[in-house]
Amino acid sequence: MSRVLATDAKDFVEKEISIKGWVRLRRDHGKLIFLDIRDRSGIIQVVVNPQVSQSAYKNAQALGVEYAVEIKGRVNKRPENSINKDLESGRVELEATEIKILAKAPVLPFDMGGEDLKLELPTLLDHRGLTLRHPKIAAIFKVQAVIIDEFRNYLKREGFVEFQAPSIAPAVAEGGAAVFEVDYFGNKAYLSQSPQLYKQIVMSAFERVFSVNKVFRAEPSVTTRHLTEVVSLDAEMAFIESWEDVKDMAQSTVRTILKRLEKECAKELKMYKVELPKMIEKTPYLSLRDAQEKIFKHSGRDARGEKDLNPQDEREICEIIKKETGSDFVFIYGYPTKEKPFYVYPNPDNPEYNEGMDLLCKGLEWASGGRRVNDYDQLMEHVKKWKLNPAKIKLFLETFKYGIPPEGGFALGAERMTMQILELSNVREASIFPRDIERIDERLTSKKRS
Ligand code: AMO
């Protein structure tokens, strides 16, 4: 008898089937034992009646939560009053004739039976291998898998080629101190903060490229939006007319991802009682200075002249834009050139500000990007101004000597997107194995941290 998945059982009413899965719940009701069995498709209820099978009943008595089992039985329609509309298989149940234990499980360190897993974040992460099995937690990573898959699909449809960026780099691409140094056989190297320079190199061969990479940020602070290991969804495209082409590509990428989530993750979104963020026809965009001016007018809080938006500014500008336009998204562009990495293109009419941009959604930055410096001489000027060692970015600089047209790109953070879409309160919940200053799988003691 071949295996049937939980959610397909409804197509086998009055037939004998075999299912395999894990015990999610066991409820003893007088003479009957009810089991909720979880497999990769969902959950099905099994009823074990000693009058149907003594041996199945005996085995069911021994079962605990997270036992792996194979159960044979007959699919019955449930009586009208016990239909569970919230369950895909909720109109049927399996009447067990045989229960085989495939693997045992000791008593769990906490209760995983409820619809919500009510655990503090440290406990949730300390036991990731177990908590991941809770349907509501697994849902987070189903949503994330769809986000990443659609990023790939959409860009491939748009003529982008995927490449693999290195994780070990000889130089710091993004600037700043947030970088992990690696002792590379006696040489100094770094864990890649971004595939930035590599995507620009590879772009010169394929015109349009993307990568799905782990990037590493030595974030020394604990915030709800920062990880030290991030899934970065990067894209780069040649022959742009202006930075707005990049903005439009970032917008259509996000729009397509949202559409796919709507189609494929309705169940998961419902579990979290959330609606997808609203992307209107044309996502509003405004310069950093205009955004700061708006915030000042709106609340009197004066962030004008600051080099960037802080988290409060990001929240406020998103609220203002939402009120004005209905959009949950906004692009902010035009940051002070000297405050951003050397590769960002200065606005030729006002070179103090650049053509870099960020995409914000409901108060959180989802993506950065913009136009890049493509002219070799200008690039070399920037290398000097930014006090970079040209020898360390030789591959990149050589590439840019040879005919690089106007170009740009962007990067979306997969965890930030997942966090925001499911309205999770901490980005760690949206990272399957989150790394931060306090954790590599287990919590680090202060000794290990120093
Ligand atoms: P940036 O540094 O803004 O840009 O990163 C791009 C996106 O990655 C996510 N992100 C993070 N998520 C969680 N924790 C972090 N510590 C973290 N750091 C970044 C955010 C962010 O918007 N090279 C440029 C991209 C480009 O210009 O193409 C870059 O890396 O969602």
Side-chain angles (χ1 to χ4, degrees):
M1 202 184 292
S2 61
R3 179 187 177 192
V4 171
L5 291 176
T7 51
D8 294 336
K10 58 183 180 313
D11 305 327
F12 291 83
V13 173
E14 291 177 12
K15 296 214 169 77
E16 301 284 323
I17 64 165
S18 156
I19 62 165
K20 288 181 182 176
W22 289 270
V23 177
R24 173 150 164 71
L25 277 178
R26 188 187 110 184
R27 296 181 302 275
D28 294 25
H29 277 268
K31 283 258 159 66
L32 301 179
I33 296 176
F34 289 92
L35 304 168
D36 276 1
I37 301 296
R38 180 190 90 241
D39 68 14
R40 68 176 192 269
S41 72
I43 288 167
I44 182 166
Q45 176 169 286
V46 175
V47 54
V48 194
N49 182 344
Q51 292 186 339
V52 173
S53 167
Q54 267 297 341
S55 69
Y57 187 76
K58 196 163 154 263
N59 282 351
Q61 282 178 312
L63 292 179
V65 171
E66 290 310 313
Y67 270 54
V69 288
E70 178 177 0
I71 303 181
K72 290 184 179 152
R74 182 188 144 96
V75 181
N76 290 331
K77 276 194 184 158
R78 288 203 207 181
E80 203 59 39
N81 61 358
S82 67
I83 285 174
N84 180 350
K85 289 200 180 107
D86 293 331
L87 213 58
E88 235 179 301
S89 67
R91 297 188 165 272
V92 296
E93 63 190 8
L94 186 71
E95 188 176 67
T97 52
E98 206 181 312
I99 295 180
K100 192 169 156 193
I101 294 172
L102 301 176
K104 291 182 179 178
V107 175
L108 284 166
F110 36 76
D111 177 18
M112 291 229 292
E115 251 178 59
D116 291 306
L117 188 53
K118 294 191 178 100
L119 295 177
E120 297 290 328
L121 186 62
T123 313
L124 184 89
L125 300 178
D126 285 347
H127 300 276
R128 195 47 134 176
L130 302 177
T131 56
L132 200 49
R133 301 181 191 189
H134 189 283
K136 200 165 168 186
I137 305 299
I140 299 173
F141 300 101
K142 159 86 189 292
V143 165
Q144 191 162 84
V146 170
I147 290 172
I148 296 171
D149 192 51
E150 194 54 28
F151 174 79
R152 282 200 163 100
N153 281 344
Y154 177 67
L155 289 180
K156 279 196 254 179
R157 290 201 296 275
E158 291 295 315
F160 288 70
V161 173
E162 182 167 9
F163 80 102
Q164 305 298 313
S167 296
I168 300 171
V172 178
E174 296 299 310
V179 61
F180 290 108
E181 215 176 281
V182 178
D183 175 5
Y184 196 73
F185 306 112
N187 293 295
K188 212 189 253 186
Y190 305 94
L191 290 184
S192 175
Q193 288 170 301
S194 156
Q196 182 64 38
L197 304 186
Y198 295 97
K199 67 178 175 175
Q200 290 187 254
I201 294 174
V202 185
M203 168 277 303
S204 76
F206 295 98
E207 234 183 82
R208 292 182 157 203
V209 294
F210 74 92
S211 69
V212 176
N213 273 108
K214 283 297 185 70
V215 298
F216 304 89
R217 307 280 170 108
E219 301 289 349
S221 54
V222 181
T223 79
T224 55
R225 52 175 74 192
H226 288 98
L227 296 161
T228 55
E229 192 176 323
V230 177
V231 178
S232 183
L233 310 176
D234 275 84
E236 196 74 10
M237 57 201 268
F239 299 112
I240 59 171
E241 295 293 328
S242 83
W243 73 274
E244 290 201 36
D245 289 349
V246 181
K247 166 177 77 62
D248 293 346
M249 184 56 76
Q251 175 185 280
S252 58
T253 305
V254 170
R255 192 190 300 286
T256 312
I257 290 172
L258 294 177
K259 272 196 192 136
R260 169 103 181 262
L261 289 172
E262 188 179 17
K263 221 166 72 193
E264 228 166 89
C265 292
K267 191 169 95 185
E268 288 72 20
L269 298 172
K270 198 170 154 209
M271 274 180 177
Y272 279 85
K273 303 183 176 74
V274 293
E275 280 183 18
L276 287 167
K278 187 165 170 50
M279 181 170 259
I280 61 173
E281 188 58 30
K282 198 165 165 28
T283 299
Y285 61 102
L286 66 167
S287 72
L288 173 71
R289 295 296 176 232
D290 286 347
Q292 289 167 333
E293 199 62 53
K294 252 189 200 299
I295 292 170
F296 179 63
K297 273 204 191 117
H298 181 255
S299 66
R301 213 166 45 76
D302 195 357
R304 292 173 302 175
E306 292 292 331
K307 60 183 183 187
D308 209 341
L309 298 180
N310 66 27
Q312 197 184 347
D313 300 336
E314 291 182 344
R315 274 195 300 276
E316 231 170 287
I317 194 65
C318 286
E319 281 164 18
I320 298 170
I321 295 295
K322 176 76 178 170
K323 260 195 214 133
E324 286 181 359
T325 68
S327 172
D328 281 323
F329 292 92
V330 58
F331 284 102
I332 308 293
Y333 70 93
Y335 292 89
T337 303
K338 63 177 190 322
E339 303 294 344
K340 293 288 173 179
F342 78 104
Y343 55 77
V344 188
Y345 187 73
N347 177 349
D349 300 327
N350 185 7
E352 223 184 290
Y353 294 94
N354 67 25
E355 295 194 347
M357 60 172 200
D358 286 337
L359 174 62
L360 311 184
C361 172
K362 293 183 176 176
L364 184 68
E365 182 196 303
W366 275 26
S368 290
R371 183 172 170 179
R372 326 296 191 188
V373 177
N374 62 303
D375 177 78
Y376 181 71
D377 295 333
Q378 189 180 11
L379 203 51
M380 288 312 287
E381 264 175 45
H382 278 215
V383 167
K384 264 192 220 130
K385 269 196 207 153
W386 268 255
K387 295 192 171 62
L388 298 173
N389 178 355
K392 294 279 184 195
I393 50 172
K394 226 165 95 185
L395 284 187
F396 172 75
L397 292 176
E398 183 185 55
T399 307
F400 273 68
K401 235 188 224 176
Y402 293 87
I404 300 299
E407 61 105 356
F410 62 90
L412 286 152
E415 295 86 353
R416 291 253 184 111
M417 294 174 77
T418 313
M419 168 195 184
Q420 189 93 62
I421 285 167
L422 294 176
E423 295 178 12
L424 306 174
S425 54
N426 195 310
V427 73
R428 285 159 188 75
E429 292 177 66
S431 171
I432 197 156
F433 298 110
R435 269 80 176 101
D436 62 36
I437 191 172
E438 295 176 334
R439 177 182 298 274
I440 312 175
D441 285 357
E442 56 170 330
R443 273 177 270 181
L444 303 172
T445 62
S446 48
K447 188 161 157 257
K448 283 183 198 157
R449 277 169 55 179
S450 62

